[in-house]
Amino acid sequence: MGRIFKNLILLVVMTGSSAVGAAAEDFPAYWRKTMTNDPQTNFYLAEALKPLPNKNAETIKVVRLSLIAGNLCLGAAVDRRTGEAFLQRAGYNRLRGKTWDEAVFLADDWFKYFNYRSLAHLCAGIDYIFGPEGKLVPNLVKPGKGEPKGSYDPQNPYLRLPPLRKPNG
């Protein structure tokens, strides 16, 4: 009886995990219609291009977008030289104290409800944002495949984004 029970549990675990894996491999097909490199059809891309009211917050938003795109999108990578030049031009290393706190607060508000759907649409529009003729910072992120690295989990669609570290302490 004990052996049968153990085998039954093993069978349930094996079939359950394969069903979850199969369901989590790809995202819903209806997302594909809006996962474009065009802000007219890609709402998330259009939202990413809207400037924030504070120049420093906009800089932090661009940094976060590039790090997300470069690390969470399949085949994408951040160009370090272009990134460092952008940070220097934008004055990122001079942000400190209350200026840093206000900018991070405004920028983080944009990412408050960042989920897998947002990521999938961002990955699809990387070239428009950061490509050779990118609207935010040209050549900052190599586009890759236009899809997220991880699989979609409808039970847990929200992504926890780590906070940015303050420059120079």
Side-chain angles (χ1 to χ4, degrees):
M1 179 79 168
R3 186 174 180 180
I4 293 172
F5 185 68
K6 286 180 185 176
N7 287 338
L8 184 59
I9 290 175
L10 182 62
L11 181 64
V12 169
V13 169
M14 287 175 27
T15 57
S17 64
S18 65
V20 170
E25 283 179 17
D26 209 2
F27 36 83
Y30 64 91
W31 289 5
R32 290 247 183 237
K33 293 178 187 173
T34 56
M35 286 176 58
T36 64
N37 208 21
D38 178 14
Q40 297 295 327
T41 56
N42 187 336
F43 169 78
Y44 300 94
L45 180 60
E47 287 296 308
L49 293 172
K50 286 183 181 176
L52 292 177
N54 181 316
K55 177 186 173 279
N56 296 327
E58 181 66 22
T59 299
I60 291 174
K61 181 180 94 171
V62 170
V63 169
R64 282 191 83 103
L65 281 171
S66 66
L67 291 174
I68 289 168
N71 293 311
L72 299 178
C73 296
L74 191 62
V78 176
D79 183 316
R80 293 208 183 266
R81 271 193 187 152
T82 306
E84 288 176 15
F86 166 73
L87 294 176
Q88 190 173 14
R89 271 193 325 270
Y92 181 80
N93 292 327
R94 292 187 300 268
L95 295 176
R96 289 190 175 78
K98 190 173 181 173
T99 305
W100 168 265
D101 294 338
E102 288 174 2
V104 167
F105 177 78
L106 288 171
D108 280 352
D109 191 51
W110 194 89
F111 295 99
K112 189 185 301 183
Y113 300 108
F114 194 77
N115 59 23
Y116 192 86
R117 185 175 191 171
S118 308
L119 175 64
H121 284 78
L122 177 65
C123 290
I126 290 175
D127 195 43
Y128 191 84
I129 299 174
F130 298 118
E133 297 176 20
K135 300 301 179 194
L136 292 180
V137 181
N139 296 316
L140 181 57
V141 179
K142 182 185 104 182
K145 305 277 185 198
E147 293 183 2
K149 282 182 184 176
S151 59
Y152 174 60
D153 180 6
Q155 299 298 320
N156 188 16
Y158 289 97
L159 302 172
R160 292 195 65 162
L161 302 175
L164 289 176
R165 292 173 50 192
K166 287 185 179 181
N168 300 323

